[in-house]
Amino acid sequence: MAPYSLLVTRLQKALSVRQYHVASVLCQRAKVAMSHFEPNDYIRFDLLEKNINIVRKRLNRPLTLSEKIVYGHLRPDRVAMQDATAQMAMLQFISSGLPKVAVPSTIHCDHLIEAQLGGEKDLRRAKDINQEVYNFLATAGAKYGVGFWRPGSGIIHQIILENYAYPGVLLIGTDSHTPNGGGLGGICIGVGGADAVDVMAGIPWELKCPKVIGVKLTGSLSGWTSPKDVILKVAGILTVKGGTGAIVEYHGPGIDSISCTGMATICNMGAEIGATTSVFPYNHRMKKYLNKTGRADIAILADEFKDHLVPDPGCHYDQLIEINLSELKPHINGPFTPDLAHPVAEVGTVAEKEGWPVDIRVGLIGSCTNSSYEDMGRSAAVAKQALAHGLKCKSQFTITPGSEQIRATIERDGYAQILRDVGGIVLANACGPCIGQWDRKDIKKGEKNTIVTSYNRNFTGRNDANPETHAFVTSPEIVTALAIAGTLKFNPETDFLTGKDGKKFKLEAPDVDELPRAEFDPGQDTYQHPPKDSSGQRVDVSPTSQRLQLLEPFDKWDGKDLEDLQILIKVKGKCTTDHISAAGPWLKFRGHLDNISNNLLIGAINIENGKANSVRNAVTQEFGPVPDTARYYKKNGIRWVVIGDENYGEGSSREHAALEPRHLGGRAIITKSFARIHETNLKKQGLLPLTFADPADYNKIHPVDKLTIQGLKDFAPGKPLKCIIKHPNGTQETILLNHTFNETQIEWFRAGSALNRMKELQQ
């Protein structure tokens, strides 16, 4: 299928001069009006309609909702960046030399706040520790026309849902869980920072035309079954890579039993199956949410153009999954991977059989996946029942509100106090333990234990850097029930608890309002508008800073084949972006490429010795840390390559996992398969993401071999490259390597990076 950029070009040619002029004028207005841009200005359903009608005539068939939104846009409507990725994105934008962003853009401070003592104390500590970074982001936003949500505002995806997402929007964000906005009927796609720079610079953004997987929902949710169980079930069906290269589009009568924020939960965790994004069609639940969040005007427009915000009857899906919500049972997935699905009723038995700890040390609710008003209300309803019988949580219990608006509203309505009374600690409005920002004190590293969360990811060491923590993901209400019981063997649908009075009782399934009956309490004002005149605004980056570092251009391709590449590491098994560029304490270096490169591949398992962060130096023959070995090779002019397994780069959108190997002298990553975002990120930085034409060739390469990649002078789309494997005994083997580069991406490689190519085009 054609890349999105080619479809845009065709669409531009198909538009009348007047229509194209209107689109161009709107983009120009956005450029000059950014300093006083307000959420949801420039929403043009009429333009979407015109573009869809053109595409409909060309294709002459019913369209999915995904096709309508993607093909109905000439360019993305908006860019959103969280603070950890925004540092590198803004550094790259500064390097572009452009004076202002070309589309509405925002920065959200949610990743750098460590959970330690509780919301207010942790926030104060974060502001102190990260003052230099926050100042950089605030001043860069002011200088280049980017809105800035201060620390404490909340998690980026909840802020987007409350303020910026709307039915039919095309939004990109520098976080893999950007698809959260699909719960409000938008196509919201997670990308790397370099992609965001392209859009902010007003140049074409590429997206390989995705397949569309349809998930038909029938029946209705009830009892303990929640929206989270839908995606936990889908993850079990499709696995962590089953959605790669596809948009997951939910439809069917069952969607009307799911709240808008519940739909966002489902779309959010679609990142865990590798999907490009996920989306729900516009319905009355979305209208209700728009009205309650102060956007009734958008709801009126959406009603008027509703035919373009739902799939056409009879549209075709590349794959179809059907789920009867009336039969769906509460699920819990894990440990160590989000697609290992179990019904809650069975997980205790499975845990005992597998040797997983059944006692739950900590239950954690919140995160961008499950921190809505409804989520907090359902958890509070469960907690209230336990309190009525004199019980508190047996496990430790933490609560993360999704935004300042959610925090203020659950405080006003009493939910927060109920959750405290049952033993919970309310953390800051931030990502916290979900991304490893957790100063955990109750265990030692290496201690085997179980935690249960309402988060989205549960990779090894993800939450607390302990590889022996068995993390399970489920709904907030199930987390709360399990934290009260203290064991994986508890099933709230059937099992009884014993109250303080010695009497047995059963928890009832929570039944609460999806939205507050009164208006949301907005809480503190935490948004900074960029000034109308930013000519005097300075953005300072100290040359001695350990947190921020201005970027130097990567070297261009020298026009030659890659000869005698040393293998830095041959990775065994799962290698996510957490393995390639760890989060947690490393987040503080996200704006300093050289410093953060000290975490390169420290979590990946070396097939040669079965250890993490231990590889053989081909020159000294000594084993040492991966980053140190890479630096040694770079210093001595030795170019290197990484060999990976299936779905390499699964997980977060962090482009540092691509920047670091490029910075330290890497030239290619050769794997059985890649996760979508990471493959694009590698291309953007001038690296070669290549896949074995025959996956069995992975076994032909040994860590002590050297590789030569041939065919780069004739590098062309669809044309494989040759790889000569040179064994230490003098023998050689030749294999083929496939790639997905198009002509534009090949220019990135030749220029040394996409940013280098952007500068070339400006000259």
Side-chain angles (χ1 to χ4, degrees):
M1 301 178 81
Y4 176 61
S5 58
L6 180 57
L7 290 166
V8 166
T9 302
R10 291 174 180 168
L11 186 57
Q12 288 173 337
K13 291 178 179 177
L15 286 169
S16 71
V17 174
R18 179 180 177 278
Q19 288 168 342
Y20 185 62
H21 174 70
V22 169
S24 299
V25 168
L26 282 173
C27 291
Q28 292 302 318
R29 280 186 194 164
K31 288 181 183 178
V32 300
M34 280 306 301
S35 61
H36 51 85
F37 180 84
E38 295 294 339
N40 304 316
D41 283 354
Y42 312 113
I43 296 172
R44 291 296 304 273
F45 284 120
D46 55 341
L47 272 181
L48 184 70
E49 179 180 55
K50 290 175 182 177
N51 295 346
I52 290 171
N53 288 339
I54 292 168
V55 173
R56 191 186 300 282
K57 289 177 183 177
R58 292 290 182 93
L59 297 180
N60 194 30
R61 61 169 173 78
L63 301 176
T64 65
L65 173 59
S66 306
E67 290 173 320
K68 290 180 181 181
I69 300 175
V70 173
Y71 297 164
H73 278 79
L74 295 175
R75 68 193 68 217
D77 297 306
R78 171 173 286 279
V79 174
M81 299 168 281
Q82 41 95 333
D83 51 354
T85 50
Q87 295 172 62
M88 195 57 66
M90 292 309 296
L91 286 165
Q92 290 178 89
F93 187 83
I94 291 169
S95 297
S96 75
L98 296 171
K100 291 281 183 181
V101 295
V103 299
S105 305
T106 49
I107 294 168
H108 303 257
C109 295
D110 63 357
H111 270 56
L112 300 178
I113 302 169
E114 185 180 51
Q116 189 181 63
L117 301 174
E120 291 185 10
K121 293 179 180 178
D122 293 346
L123 181 58
R124 283 199 301 270
R125 179 170 174 265
K127 287 179 178 179
D128 180 52
I129 292 172
N130 302 311
Q131 181 180 6
E132 179 185 16
V133 172
Y134 292 148
N135 179 63
F136 165 72
L137 293 174
T139 55
K143 178 72 172 177
Y144 297 103
V146 179
F148 181 69
W149 288 86
R150 300 184 186 94
S153 301
I155 304 171
I156 177 172
H157 310 303
Q158 184 66 30
I159 297 291
I160 289 172
L161 202 70
E162 293 173 353
N163 296 274
Y164 302 121
Y166 60 86
V169 71
L170 179 59
L171 179 151
I172 69 165
T174 60
D175 189 277
S176 55
H177 293 104
T178 302
N180 191 78
L184 202 43
I187 292 293
C188 304
I189 301 174
V191 299
D195 274 13
V197 172
D198 284 353
V199 177
M200 290 191 294
I203 65 176
W205 170 64
E206 291 197 337
L207 171 69
K208 184 179 179 181
C209 188
K211 300 180 296 181
V212 183
I213 298 174
V215 179
K216 183 178 181 180
L217 302 179
T218 60
S220 61
L221 291 176
S222 62
W224 285 93
T225 306
S226 72
K228 186 67 164 278
D229 298 308
V230 177
I231 186 57
L232 294 176
K233 178 69 173 180
V234 171
I237 295 170
L238 289 176
T239 76
V240 290
K241 64 176 184 176
T244 303
I247 293 176
V248 179
E249 184 172 309
Y250 293 85
H251 62 284
I255 65 172
D256 287 333
S257 72
I258 306 173
S259 66
C260 179
T261 52
M263 289 187 260
T265 291
I266 295 168
C267 292
N268 176 294
M269 201 175 156
E272 275 35 87
I273 57 175
T276 301
T277 192
S278 301
V279 66
F280 277 83
Y282 178 66
N283 70 354
H284 73 281
R285 307 299 282 265
M286 295 183 190
K287 179 178 181 178
K288 188 176 181 180
Y289 185 79
L290 287 168
N291 289 336
K292 184 61 76 170
T293 52
R295 293 173 286 172
D297 54 337
I298 300 177
I300 292 170
L301 280 172
D303 283 341
E304 182 181 347
F305 290 91
K306 183 173 182 179
D307 287 348
H308 302 300
L309 304 174
V310 297
D312 288 339
C315 65
H316 170 74
Y317 294 103
D318 296 283
Q319 181 181 349
L320 184 63
I321 297 169
E322 295 193 35
I323 297 176
N324 185 338
L325 300 179
S326 299
E327 298 175 355
L328 184 64
K329 288 292 187 179
H331 272 62
I332 182 169
N333 288 21
F336 306 125
T337 185
D339 59 349
L340 186 56
H342 321 275
V344 171
E346 300 173 11
V347 69
T349 301
V350 174
E352 288 186 322
K353 180 181 177 182
E354 297 292 337
W356 304 331
V358 295
D359 291 337
I360 299 169
R361 297 293 290 268
V362 190
L364 307 100
I365 65 169
S367 86
C368 62
T369 318
N370 280 109
S371 55
S372 68
Y373 182 84
E374 180 183 30
D375 290 326
M376 297 296 160
R378 287 174 70 87
S379 293
V382 174
K384 190 174 183 180
Q385 295 177 60
L387 289 169
H389 291 272
L391 296 186
K392 291 191 175 185
C393 292
K394 288 186 177 178
S395 310
Q396 293 184 41
F397 187 43
T398 70
I399 302 96
T400 306
S403 68
E404 170 61 10
Q405 179 167 273
I406 295 297
R407 183 208 62 78
T409 307
I410 65 171
E411 288 286 2
R412 180 197 69 192
D413 293 353
Y415 291 166
Q417 190 57 50
I418 292 170
L419 295 170
R420 288 191 193 94
D421 290 344
V422 84
I425 297 175
V426 178
L427 301 174
N429 314 321
C431 300
C434 182
I435 59 164
Q437 285 283 46
W438 184 15
D439 185 21
R440 190 177 180 188
K441 302 292 190 183
D442 64 299
I443 61 162
K444 295 179 180 179
K445 191 169 183 178
E447 183 179 344
K448 199 173 180 179
N449 74 103
T450 284
I451 65 173
V452 179
T453 82
S454 70
Y455 303 164
N456 40 48
R457 290 200 174 126
N458 57 349
F459 303 142
T460 302
R462 166 82 177 183
N463 304 120
D464 61 2
N466 179 14
E468 288 301 323
T469 293
H470 294 56
F472 295 82
V473 291
T474 186
S475 68
E477 54 265 45
I478 293 293
V479 171
T480 307
L482 293 179
I484 292 165
T487 174
L488 285 177
K489 297 174 70 175
F490 179 71
N491 176 12
E493 287 193 302
T494 59
D495 296 344
F496 288 80
L497 294 168
T498 302
K500 192 174 182 180
D501 59 3
K503 296 180 180 179
K504 293 188 178 297
F505 71 98
K506 201 169 96 172
L507 294 170
E508 298 295 328
D511 183 15
V512 299
D513 295 328
E514 64 186 89
L515 294 165
R517 297 184 182 184
E519 296 305 311
F520 275 110
D521 183 337
Q524 299 179 40
D525 182 6
T526 55
Y527 179 67
Q528 171 187 296
H529 289 268
K532 292 181 179 181
D533 180 7
S534 62
S535 57
Q537 181 68 53
R538 289 180 56 84
V539 181
D540 293 324
V541 177
S542 169
T544 60
S545 172
Q546 295 301 302
R547 298 286 301 270
L548 298 164
Q549 180 186 49
L550 293 175
L551 297 175
E552 295 292 331
F554 290 131
D555 58 307
K556 288 186 176 183
W557 175 55
D558 61 8
K560 301 176 183 178
D561 287 336
L562 297 173
E563 298 281 347
D564 293 332
L565 296 173
Q566 190 64 55
I567 296 170
L568 177 65
I569 182 173
K570 181 179 179 182
V571 178
K572 178 182 179 182
K574 185 186 282 283
C575 190
T576 71
T577 49
D578 281 330
H579 294 88
I580 304 168
S581 177
W586 292 95
L587 284 170
K588 62 179 174 285
F589 296 125
R590 284 284 179 88
H592 197 294
L593 179 55
D594 193 57
N595 281 347
I596 200 169
S597 293
N598 289 322
N599 75 1
L600 175 65
L601 286 159
I602 61 175
I605 301 300
N606 179 11
I607 200 169
E608 186 175 6
N609 57 10
K611 296 181 179 180
N613 202 25
S614 175
V615 295
R616 184 194 301 271
N617 183 314
V619 178
T620 67
Q621 295 300 307
E622 296 177 354
F623 280 87
V626 182
D628 293 357
T629 308
R631 288 186 185 278
Y632 179 95
Y633 289 160
K634 181 181 180 180
K635 182 179 179 180
N636 290 277
I638 301 170
R639 297 183 295 185
W640 50 264
V641 62
V642 169
I643 307 300
D645 211 316
E646 293 277 8
N647 207 31
Y648 184 91
E650 167 194 345
S652 298
S653 67
R654 66 192 65 154
E655 64 182 330
H656 298 78
L659 282 160
E660 292 174 33
R662 183 72 164 98
H663 175 64
L664 294 184
R667 284 296 181 265
I669 312 292
I670 305 172
T671 72
K672 294 179 183 178
S673 63
F674 286 97
R676 174 190 62 87
I677 299 176
H678 187 60
E679 182 179 21
T680 301
N681 286 347
L682 291 168
K683 292 177 183 178
K684 289 275 185 178
Q685 304 308 333
L687 281 154
L688 290 171
L690 306 170
T691 56
F692 296 105
D694 180 357
D697 288 342
Y698 169 87
N699 298 316
K700 293 180 179 179
I701 297 176
H702 305 287
V704 292
D705 295 337
K706 290 186 177 181
L707 306 181
T708 292
I709 298 173
Q710 296 181 334
L712 293 175
K713 292 180 180 179
D714 301 313
F715 197 11
K719 185 178 181 181
L721 299 172
K722 282 186 179 180
C723 177
I724 300 173
I725 307 169
K726 300 179 180 180
H727 301 299
N729 63 6
T731 62
Q732 297 185 359
E733 298 179 73
T734 300
I735 62 174
L736 291 180
L737 300 175
N738 293 333
H739 64 85
T740 61
F741 280 81
N742 58 33
E743 290 286 1
T744 299
Q745 294 167 344
I746 290 172
E747 290 301 321
W748 299 343
F749 169 74
R750 290 171 177 157
S753 71
L755 190 58
N756 287 359
R757 180 58 178 159
M758 183 192 301
K759 289 182 179 179
E760 288 179 354
L761 293 173
Q762 291 176 23
Q763 296 172 356

